[in-house]
Amino acid sequence: MRFDIISLFPESLDPLFSISLLGKARKKGLVEICLHRLEDYLLPGEDIDDMPFGGGGGMVMKGEPIIRAVRGVRDKNLKGEVILLTPQGETLRHRLVCELADLKQIVLICGRYEGIDERVVELVVDREISIGDFVLSGGEIPALAVVDAVARLVPGVVCGKVPEDSFYDGMLKYPQYTRPRVVEGLPVPEVLLSGNHAEVERWRKEESLERTRRRRPDLVQNPSH
Ligand code: SAM
């Protein structure tokens, strides 16, 4: 699985892509993450941004450098998609993450300022994704979220059982405990110390359902999330 990230500040992402699961996955060659500096696609004398037609505050990222960058990095031989990170896109959810994990290349465009020239969307973008109904200053954090969530589904990246994570069976994960048995007077639920695997399993299922009903009733009502 290959990720190509086009950004004005690619160096801001490198430290987080070099540690923990993602860092190890890269070292093992399970995922490839290529960071591309948008300035490298500017023509001599060309600016990265300009004033919006029609007036208004802020600057808009020019389309042509982004289009050049996308066409430069997108490998048409790989099943892939070009994704623009934008608060106006489809919200990133588990179902969408699974869809993306089926691809071999994901090109992510990180916006800045007031956003990017709309013609980029018309010419080279396959999909627009938002990480939630709020506005960040740039697409780098959303890109990180997409890469991290999708990479976890690449076989071999996560050592434990990914299917036990929240959302896989449409539920939130049950509460978890580790040593010591008592923390500030709060004990671990007795059943987890019983050694009875069937009972532990039953307790976990119940807790998972109860937690999901309480915290995310929308998941219970609409399991396609
Ligand atoms: N003016 C734009 C609007 O109102 O839709 C917001 C621009 S925002 C300040 C700059 C960039 O941050 C966007 O182009 C996008 O790449 C990124 N961004 C901000 N919030 C985001 C979100 N919730 N999800 C994905 N990307 C986001």
Side-chain angles (χ1 to χ4, degrees), residues 85-88 111 113-115 129-132 134-139 142:
L85 284 322
T86 163
Q88 301 174 24
Y113 316 127
E114 282 308 307
I129 291 182
S130 162
I131 59 162
F134 45 81
V135 176
L136 298 166
S137 311

Side-chain angles (χ1 to χ4, degrees), residues 17 41-42 56 63 72 78-79 123 127 156 193 207:
F17 285 143
Y41 293 87
L42 289 178
L78 297 175
K79 180 184 174 193
L123 289 169
R127 198 193 283 262
L193 307 172
E207 288 292 318

Side-chain angles (χ1 to χ4, degrees), residues 169-171 209 212-225:
D169 57 358
M171 298 285 151
L209 186 58
T212 311
R213 278 202 188 113
R214 204 166 6 97
R215 296 185 186 187
R216 293 291 305 273
D218 58 305
L219 291 178
V220 182
Q221 281 149 21
N222 182 7
S224 69
H225 272 88

Side-chain angles (χ1 to χ4, degrees), residues 86-178:
T86 163
Q88 301 174 24
E90 179 185 354
T91 307
L92 187 65
R93 292 183 196 283
H94 179 67
R95 183 186 44 74
L96 176 52
V97 171
C98 293
E99 241 179 82
L100 298 179
D102 227 25
L103 302 173
K104 295 283 172 254
Q105 185 189 27
I106 296 179
V107 179
L108 296 157
I109 305 171
C110 305
R112 280 269 159 182
Y113 316 127
E114 282 308 307
I116 69 169
D117 188 299
E118 188 65 22
R119 286 160 296 186
V120 173
V121 177
E122 290 166 36
L123 289 169
V124 293
V125 168
D126 298 306
R127 198 193 283 262
E128 296 173 78
I129 291 182
S130 162
I131 59 162
D133 290 349
F134 45 81
V135 176
L136 298 166
S137 311
E140 288 74 15
I141 290 171
L144 179 64
V146 171
V147 172
D148 192 305
V150 173
R152 289 177 63 80
L153 299 190
V154 173
V157 170
V158 175
C159 300
K161 285 195 209 153
V162 172
E164 285 187 1
D165 278 341
S166 294
F167 306 113
Y168 278 79
D169 57 358
M171 298 285 151
L172 301 181
K173 190 166 178 157
Y174 47 81
Q176 297 175 96
Y177 300 85
T178 185

